[in-house]
Amino acid sequence: MMHHPSRSLIQRVAPIFAARIRHNSRLLSSASSSVLAKDPQSSSANESVHLSDNCVRRMKELQASEAKEKMLRLSIEAGGCSGFQYNFELEEKPNDDDRIFERDGVKLVVDTISLGFVKGATVDYVEELIRSGFQVAENPSAVGGCSCKSSFMVK
């Protein structure tokens, strides 16, 4: 006889996800405020996120195959092998708290909290034997990270 749980799977895992989101939010908020506090008078060049030639080229290729213009979103999440990880997505429109960085018609959007972790960074597109994808090539806010270049530690 098969036992049917009285609560659905969603009801059972929702509290776990909610707790994880609150934990990640606290980590991001505290680390972001410490990153922002370290350099309150940074120059405008360090306030922006830069797009490499390869990043712009790849985004134009992706946009050519899309019906609507897409933007590249860079966000930071707690986790990864080094503490924080970069997350890239394609989106059609920015959110209210986004900063938009543009080069040659290609737009990169970064939310306010994530921006504290990537000010002055360069987003690149890399093609390697085992993988290809967008990555943060240079990040002045990071010290070290893993060899996959998808996670980092904050200074």
Side-chain angles (χ1 to χ4, degrees), residues 108-144:
L108 172 75
V109 293
V110 182
D111 65 87
T112 307
I113 291 176
S114 297
L115 183 60
F117 293 93
V118 294
K119 284 181 180 177
T122 300
V123 175
D124 196 9
Y125 181 79
V126 178
E127 295 181 65
E128 300 169 336
L129 288 175
I130 58 170
R131 72 180 186 110
S132 61
F134 295 101
Q135 69 182 32
V136 176
E138 301 169 20
N139 185 354
S141 298
V143 323

Side-chain angles (χ1 to χ4, degrees), residues 34-150:
S34 68
V35 167
L36 292 171
K38 287 185 181 182
D39 192 10
Q41 296 180 346
S42 57
S43 68
S44 62
N46 288 339
E47 294 288 319
S48 63
V49 180
H50 310 283
L51 302 170
S52 73
D53 292 340
N54 284 340
C55 177
V56 170
R57 178 189 51 79
R58 181 61 180 147
M59 278 301 295
K60 286 186 175 189
E61 290 170 359
L62 291 171
Q63 287 175 352
S65 65
E66 296 285 334
K68 288 187 171 185
E69 183 179 306
K70 298 281 186 175
M71 296 177 288
L72 182 62
R73 172 174 295 284
L74 168 58
S75 59
I76 305 301
E77 298 174 353
C81 27
S82 298
F84 295 96
Q85 60 188 3
Y86 302 109
N87 185 35
F88 290 98
E89 297 177 64
L90 294 178
E91 292 197 358
E92 291 181 9
K93 61 182 182 177
N95 297 326
D96 292 338
D97 70 333
D98 286 337
R99 287 275 308 271
I100 300 173
F101 304 98
E102 187 171 352
R103 179 175 168 208
D104 297 334
V106 171
K107 293 179 182 175
L108 172 75
V109 293
V110 182
D111 65 87
T112 307
I113 291 176
S114 297
L115 183 60
F117 293 93
V118 294
K119 284 181 180 177
T122 300
V123 175
D124 196 9
Y125 181 79
V126 178
E127 295 181 65
E128 300 169 336
L129 288 175
I130 58 170
R131 72 180 186 110
S132 61
F134 295 101
Q135 69 182 32
V136 176
E138 301 169 20
N139 185 354
S141 298
V143 323
C146 63
S147 62
C148 68
K149 296 190 173 140
S150 65

